[in-house]
Structure formats: structure tokens, C-alpha cells
Amino acid sequence: MKWTAANGPRRAGAAVLGLALTAGAANADEINPAVIYDLGGKFDRSFNQASHTGAERFREETGIAYRDFELQSDAQREQALRRFAEQGHNPVIVTGFAYGSAMEEIAPDFPDTNFVIIDMVVDLPNVRSVVFNEHEGSYLVGVLGAMASETGTLGFVGGMDIPLIRKFACGYVQGVMATNPDATVLQNMTGTTGAAWNDPVRGGELARAQIDQGADVIYHAAGGTGVGVLQAAADADVYGIGVDSNQNYMHPGNVLTSMLKRVDVAVYDAMMDVKEGEWTTGVVVLGLAEDGVGWALDEHNEDLITAEMREAVEEAERRIIAGEIEVHDYTTDGTCPVQ
Amino acid sequence: MSPALPRWADLALIPALNLALAFLAAGLVVVFIGEDPVQAVSVLIRGSLGSSYAIGFTLFYATTFVFTGLAVAIAFHAGLFNIGGEGQAILGGIGVALAALWLDTTHWLVVLPAAIVAAALFGAAWAAIPGILAATRGSHVVITTIMFNFIASALLVYLLVNVLRVPGAMSPETRRFAEGAHLPFMHTMLGHLGIGMARTPMNIASLLALLAALGTWVLIWRTRLGYEIRAFGHSEPAAVYAGISPVRIIVVVMLISGAMAACMALNVVLGYQQRLVLEFTAGAGFVGIAVALMGRSHPFGVVLAAILFGMLYQGGAELAFEMPAISRDMIVVIQALVILFTGALERMVRGPVERLFARRPARAAT
């Protein structure tokens, strides 16, 4: 499946048809979507907000309302999933790898409900698992960062030291090293509890410490914590790199680019597919080739990206899609070839 | 404890008044965001007590809070403020998980005692270090225990990411325990007795929590050690004069407290999640402080307060489902108001009530 903006009009056209077809259909095809966000909350300006954006876009285009829920604690994952499934919501979308076990528990009890899990693979007949090639997108922003850096020292601030975040870091370092083999990448993780995804103060401190060590480009993969990273970078007049959503607007001129992870597209398409009766299950991998990840260029950063940088990153993009560059995925073997 | 008040007023009337005030204030907040407070309260009550499903969840949460609340309460009796329940619970979870992963091909009757011992040992060991430091070096347990929370959580992340994780899996968690380590759920146990109950995570650990509360009562009020703990808590110089060793009391109390906090993992890790995940404590160690304060450090009060907090957790979740305008932050506000009124502002009600009773000394004396 190709996930592009060009799909928009076709989908909108099909939507009308879909509505007519599903009006009298069985429960399984009825559209009544629900989204459950992860602990970061729906306005983390990052990962969870991207899912919110996708759901909002669906609501605006179709006029179909959806329900959503923000977790208070880890124990509520199964409860929320079961609750929405029992209420007849379809599809039920959860965002985050932490839902894996809850999904394995709940999905078999509701065979007629369509479930979507993002960032995790759950192998069940009524679950669509959407995973992203974050390492490819991180590689691209690494290329841009290495070219923008004058000191040759770059930074990375992650949320928690977990495999998913190491995947971001590893792709980023590979991109940096491919562009400037002499570069140094400073890496820090914010914390060891869930609070690490929502701790902008600590994010800012880590970014300042990296800036003191000479870093002049800092990429974050830390959810809400990243707000502090980008703020610190802007305060010191160096570059930050956003993640998941397009964060270029937050500090125009100081956010070099953002690594886009189109969670919004995954959420939107899942809702649309149920509505149109085009629902499929199984694993959907969204990489560069599928436009599932990428880098952001808009009016806020077009002055920062030189023609040379643009050429380099587009070349890298082309070669990754063509398979000429293989970006190593940390999660496949738990190691990273570069540091 | 004020002599001006009869016991029932101290144990029941004042908490009830505090609770009423808390709900009044919370109701005002709900009005403020343009929702119907009566509906909100009724959703909260119905969502936490209105069905066997709701009660199951409420008591599941309450079980966790009984363990962490008792942990804090025991330390209170010795005048120690153990706010490291969170870290001790994390260590307890590691102990429970190791026992379960090792023995899960046997039977839960084997796994449960092993898990209890492992949790208690790990939790006690974690509390022992701040205890020994406090007893011998005079470092304050408030500072050391809270620092140990962070160390515990770093240890948990390290173990789950690097040691215990299923190879190749994205999620930092252990493998699921095999069938042999699954504790019986309350709905299956009641099912055998012919009583129908909805599927909830409530499990046999709830009965252990009641036993723990009973055991705590016996320990504090019916044993020599309990007497020494209380004497030490009331006055250290007097205790020393009576020949009680402060070092021994501090260390022993911290060991018991840590072991008690760790036992919450029996409910959450062994009873419900059946695997060890990050963040499984979900702040229960801190809720335990509020539970102990509200329960006046009495095991019976702790059980009641834990049920109230279980209601707030479960009812709060229902509130967020039923009334989307009330976001999770609002629910935290409502929970915080209850803690504020029952814990911190407790004296506000106590003064007027004491004066009221003082005016009628004859009746109060009977």
C-alpha cells in the first residue's frame, strides 16, 4: 500500500460510496473508531499528537466522530482496550509498543472488532500492526545534521534507554558518520521511568550539557521532553531536530528539520479502510519508500537547508529506497555498527 | 490523638467530614469546566461499586494500596517516614518475576510461597540499606529512600532492556509466565462456589492483603516487638532508657516495611500482568503514603483508605470513559483534592469538631 497525500481525493470519493455500502452491514464493518493514546497524552506535540492529528483529519473529512482515551497508568491499558471493544468501537487503535501484551490478551476475545497497534507487531487475525522504519528517517536527519554542524559534534537526546529509542539513535549516528566520518555524536537518555517522556526541564538540561561539550545540532527522540531540548537549542542559537510530528514551527530558524513518522497517516488510513471496507490485517511496514518516515521541509526551515544539503539528503533517500544504502536497524540484532 | 474526641469521632467522623469537603471542592472544579457534578459523582460511584466488574477492579487497585499503605504505616509507628515504597515494590517485582520465571512449570501453590519469599527478601534488602544508614550514620530515610527509588527504577530498566527481555522483542518486558505461575483469579474462585462475577484482574493476592493487614495489627499491638516499635516512635530517649536499641528497631522496621511494599508485586506482577514490565508500580508506593495518613496508620484504617483510593482509581477511569470532557488531568485534580483534604487539611476540621465535643463533655465521656 502506498501512503501518500495523493491518495486523499481518491479516498474522499470512495468514502461516499463506502458509507452507502456499510450502512446496512454487520457490526464488523461499522465505523465507530476509538483511539487510545500512550502515557505521553494526546498533546505531547510528538508521537501521540500525531495519532490525534490523524484521527482529527478523519473526523473533519468524514464528519464521523471518534472516541479517545488518555491513560493514567499502565494498568489501564487492557481495561481501556476491553472497554472500547465492548462498546462496539471499530476500529480500536492503540499507539505504542507497550500495548503489545494487552492486545494479545484482548483481541482474541473480540474477533469481530478490528484492532490496530502502532510500533509493535501482534500476530493475530484481527489485528493490523503498523511499524515504522524510524532508522531510515533518522539516517536522513543525521545527514542533514552532519552537514549543518560546524563543530563536528552533534547530540542526541532520547527518552528512555529502550530498544525503540536506540533504533532512532543508531540510524541517526549512521547518517552522521556516512556524511562526516570524523564527527562525534553525544548521546544521552532522559530517565528510567515513564516520566522521561514528559520532562522538558531535564531535556533542556541534557541539551545544554551537550551544547557545552560543543554540540551544535541536537536531535531528540523523547516525546514531550523534546520540547525542552528544542527550547535549549534555540536559546543557545544552535540547531535542534524535531521528531515524529513536524516540529519546525516551534522555533523557526533553530529547528533544522524534523524526522517525520507518519503516525497520523497510519491512524487516518486505518479508519478510512474500515469505512471503505478495505480493511486488511497483518504487518504494515512504513519506511521511506512508503512515505511513512521522512524529513520535514517547510517555510520555517527552508532558509536553513542549503541546495547542497538538499541534494545530499535526496540522494541518500533515493539510495535507501533503491537498496543501495542499507541502514542498520538496531532492533534486529541489538547492536549498532557505529557509535 | 486528642483526648477531647471520642474514638468513633476520631476514626470515622473526621475522615467522613474531610471526604465530604473534598468531594464538594472537586464538585466545584467539575462545575468550573461546565459539567454536571452530580452526574460526575454518580458515574464515579457507579463505576467503582456499581457492578461486580467495577468492584473487582476497585478491589484489585485497593489490594495494591493495602500493601504499600501498610508499609508506610508500619514505618510511621517507629517515627520513620519511608517514602521508598516505590523502589521497594520495584525490587519486589524483580523478585517475584525471577521466582515465577524459575518455577513456572510447576504449580501456583509452589510459585506463590516462593514469590512471597523472593519479594519480601528483595524489598527488605532494598529498604535495609537506607535503614542501616539511618540507624548507624544518622542519614535521613526521607532522602535516602527516595534516592533509592530512582536507583531501583534504573535497575529495572537495565534488567528489562539488557537481561530479561525476550530476544528480538521491542518491548522491554520479560516473557509471559507459563500456566504454572498463574494465580487464581477471584472470578474463577467465586465461579467454583457458584457465584457469578465479571472477569477482572482481582486475584488471590487480595486475601493475602487482608492477612497482611491482620498480621500488621498483631505485630504492632500484640507483640513485644510492636510495643518496642511504638515506644521508639513516641520517644526515642524514653525507648533507649527502657533498654530498646534504636539501631535494631530502625533496621527491623525498615526491613518489614520494605518487605510489605514489595508484596504489592504479588498482586500486580504475579496476579495480573503475569510478566514483568516497566512502570508496573504506577506510583502505588506514593499512594501508599496518602493511604497510611488517611488510615491513621491503623491496619483497619489502611484497608478502608485503600478501598477509597481503589474507588478513585477505578471510578476515575470510568469518569474519563463516560464523560470525555473530564480529562485525565482533571481526575488527578480530584484525587489530589481528596488527599489534600484528608491528609494535609485534616486539622482544619478537627479543631471545630473538638470544640463541638468539648461543649458537651458529659456525653462525650460516655
Side-chain angles (χ1 to χ4, degrees), chain B residues 240-310:
Chain B
V240 172
Y241 185 72
I244 296 168
S245 156
V247 173
R248 188 175 78 94
I249 293 296
I250 291 175
V251 173
V252 167
V253 164
M254 285 303 285
L255 289 176
I256 299 173
S257 178
M260 193 61 88
C263 284
M264 71 74 88
L266 297 171
N267 186 41
V268 178
V269 177
L270 196 59
Y272 167 53
Q273 290 171 334
Q274 292 159 355
R275 63 189 197 288
L276 188 64
V277 300
L278 287 178
E279 299 284 301
F280 71 90
T281 52
F286 296 114
V287 176
I289 299 170
V291 167
L293 280 172
M294 206 179 153
R296 299 267 181 286
S297 299
H298 190 287
F300 184 65
V302 166
V303 171
L304 287 185
I307 292 173
L308 175 74
F309 275 86

Side-chain angles (χ1 to χ4, degrees), chain A residues 207 211 214-218 229-230 232-240 253-256:
Chain A
I211 292 164
D216 60 353
V217 176
I218 301 175
V229 174
L230 297 181
D235 289 347
D237 201 25
V238 299
Y239 294 124
N254 284 106
V255 179
L256 183 65

Side-chain angles (χ1 to χ4, degrees), chain A residues 3-77:
Chain A
W3 305 66
T4 59
N7 277 347
R10 181 187 64 80
R11 287 190 176 283
V16 181
L17 188 67
L19 191 67
L21 283 175
T22 53
N27 195 28
D29 304 321
E30 224 163 81
I31 174 86
N32 185 7
V35 183
I36 312 172
Y37 307 103
D38 212 319
L39 287 169
K42 68 175 160 183
F43 296 119
D44 65 353
R45 302 202 192 187
S46 193
F47 177 73
N48 291 295
Q49 190 155 356
S51 1
H52 178 65
T53 308
E56 278 295 306
R57 186 171 137 220
F58 175 80
R59 188 182 60 80
E60 276 162 23
E61 285 180 15
T62 63
I64 297 173
Y66 65 95
R67 279 293 313 274
D68 58 359
F69 184 69
E70 292 180 277
L71 289 184
Q72 262 183 294
S73 76
D74 206 67
Q76 290 176 341
R77 289 183 201 280

Side-chain angles (χ1 to χ4, degrees), chain A residues 81 99-108 120-124, chain B residues 176:
Chain A
L81 253 175
Y99 283 101
S101 315
M103 185 63 89
E104 281 165 11
E105 190 74 8
I106 305 295
M120 177 84 186
V121 175
V122 172
D123 188 17
L124 286 168
Chain B
R176 191 168 268 269

